[in-house]
Amino acid sequence: MEPHGCRECPSREGSSLPGERASSDLGQALSQILHHLTGLDSRRGKARNAALQDLSALIEATEGDELFGGSGTSLRGMPEMLGQVAKALEKYAAPPKEQGGGSDGHSEVAEKAAAVGLLFLKLLRKVGAAENSLVCPARKACLRLLAGPIYIFAVSHSLEQAWTSPRSQDVAGQVLAVLLQVTECASVAGFLHGENEDEKGRFTLIMGLLKPDLNKETWKNNPATKHVFSWTLQQVSRPWLNQHLERILPPSLLISDDYQTENKILGVHCLHHIVLNVPAADLLQYNRAQVVYHALFNHLYTPEHHLIQAVLLCLLDLFPVLEKGLHWKGDAARPTTHCDEVLQLILTHMEPEHRLLLRRTYARNLPAFVKRLGILTVRHLKRLQRVIIGYLEVYDGPEEEARLKILETLKLLMQYTWPRVSCRLVVLLKALLKLLCDVARDPSLTPEPIKSALLEEATDCLILLDHCSQGRVKVRDSLQLHSRQVSLSLGDSYD
């Protein structure tokens, strides 16, 4: 049967294309398919569906050497054309711009993604089958141009998101697996930074493709872009990440500076990964670390516990970088640090805070700040005392996370600032005794393991308090069966 002309196939929606044609005819067919995928005509939906069907038939019917340029003079043009088609397919399957929190059109996006994923699978298998053929240079050129758009598509739809479905996630996952197989990479990290020192990797390529959609005006046009950027960033660690700092830091700051809490947290996670995986010298250059610090510090005024948790963890890892160049000279008082500044703000927020989730978040991170400052915690001793006493008085729910962390903070505080503890003996002793009474009188709300943990931590604090006050608190422990009973008596000076 004589093959159809390349001009006839795109004009008939749903028609299939023949397998044997000249390279010029194949290029013209791909050009027309590309036009239908990117066109703005009134029949765009139908034209695009027909273009997908034609492309599927074209991939199935065309041999690898002809698809990648064959032996003709169009060796360069065919890989470039396929790369443009891959970009158009990735854009076609991308989720639409977010509109007021609605989910309209998400099922349609998942259907498109599944269809495009099947096309990418056919194309990648065609590339893989040509591995040992005579068109190896053309295959490599084609794979280089296809890898970026296909990777972005696979990551956009393989993660669980509002616009994905189980089927689209499964297809996208298969696309990513086949892409790694065809590129001979054992992992996504190897795909991005290279499997060995001689291989360049594709991280720069991916960031280059994402860059137009990651500026201030465009980054919200495609809700998948920020997730692709974040997920890709976190696949690359030391020592490969620092060479890409100029590409990854601005988008991370941009995402973290959004008004939506979800985006703020995503951006902070990106910044945290950068802090952990870029050498301090690179972060200190051009004042980058200070820029990151101020961006994080401003988030501490937002009363969202998930965001506060992410910010505090990132700051704790950023402090060693910021304070790397600080050297104390014994002839003057030690300068205040960024950790001092953050702890002061945290304590200011902790005192009046009544929301349990925020109280737990602050209390959870307080021990790390005391450890970080060490003896310098004495600068904040008065405010820490008020916070500790206030938090020990309030029941925190069955898990008692806040009170357990506050007791841990108190133990560390007494270890680091023990010379200043004896003058606070009465206040701290009353707070601990009141806590013991509250726990003992609690009928059933708190599980027994939690009660035991509270009693044990409080008893450890009493023992430390006794040491810090030169034995003015008498503590006697006796184990009876499975419970721990503590008998306390004050010294003669407090009779």
Side-chain angles (χ1 to χ4, degrees), residues 75 102 139 156 327 395 401 490 492:
L75 186 63
R139 174 187 177 275
S156 297
H327 299 286
Y395 173 71
E401 182 183 0
L490 288 177
D492 294 339

Side-chain angles (χ1 to χ4, degrees), residues 9-217:
C9 298
S11 63
R12 293 194 308 166
E13 297 175 10
S15 63
S16 61
L17 294 174
E20 296 183 359
R21 63 180 69 242
S23 295
S24 58
D25 291 340
L26 180 61
Q28 188 175 3
L30 285 174
S31 178
Q32 292 187 11
I33 290 172
L34 181 63
H35 173 73
H36 285 305
L37 288 173
T38 58
L40 298 176
D41 53 85
S42 59
R43 298 170 63 211
R44 181 173 56 184
K46 292 182 179 180
R48 284 182 173 178
N49 291 335
L52 293 180
Q53 295 173 12
D54 288 344
L55 181 59
S56 177
L58 179 65
I59 294 172
E60 290 179 355
T62 307
E63 296 296 331
D65 57 346
E66 187 179 352
L67 187 62
F68 304 137
S71 58
T73 58
S74 57
L75 186 63
R76 292 184 180 180
M78 197 59 67
E80 291 175 357
M81 181 68 69
L82 286 173
Q84 292 177 15
V85 170
K87 287 182 182 179
L89 289 172
E90 185 270 319
K91 297 295 183 186
Y92 170 72
K97 185 177 180 179
E98 296 174 342
Q99 299 288 344
S103 59
D104 296 340
H106 285 167
S107 60
E108 182 182 353
V109 172
E111 292 175 2
K112 288 181 180 179
V116 170
L118 293 176
L119 281 175
F120 279 145
L121 284 173
K122 290 182 181 180
L123 188 56
L124 286 173
R125 285 167 181 152
K126 216 56 154 173
V127 175
E131 181 178 3
N132 299 319
S133 69
L134 297 176
V135 293
C136 189
R139 174 187 177 275
K140 289 182 178 179
C142 186
L143 187 56
R144 186 170 57 250
L145 294 169
L146 290 175
I150 293 178
Y151 170 86
I152 292 174
F153 163 83
V155 177
S156 297
H157 299 278
S158 60
L159 306 176
E160 185 176 356
Q161 300 291 348
W163 57 85
T164 62
S165 66
R167 171 162 170 73
S168 66
Q169 285 180 254
D170 180 62
V171 172
Q174 292 181 46
V175 170
L176 185 58
V178 175
L179 177 62
L180 295 180
Q181 180 183 351
V182 171
T183 54
E184 300 178 353
C185 295
S187 64
V188 175
F191 174 84
L192 293 170
H193 60 62
E195 289 289 344
N196 51 62
E197 295 181 359
D198 299 330
E199 189 177 351
K200 187 178 180 181
R202 300 166 182 84
F203 188 80
T204 302
L205 169 67
I206 302 300
M207 290 297 112
L209 292 173
L210 292 176
K211 184 177 180 180
D213 296 325
L214 281 175
N215 60 55
K216 189 176 181 179
E217 289 74 28

Side-chain angles (χ1 to χ4, degrees), residues 371-385:
K371 287 180 183 177
R372 176 71 194 164
L373 287 173
I375 184 62
L376 296 181
T377 313
V378 74
R379 295 169 173 168
H380 311 275
L381 197 53
K382 289 183 179 179
R383 183 165 285 180
L384 271 168
Q385 176 185 311

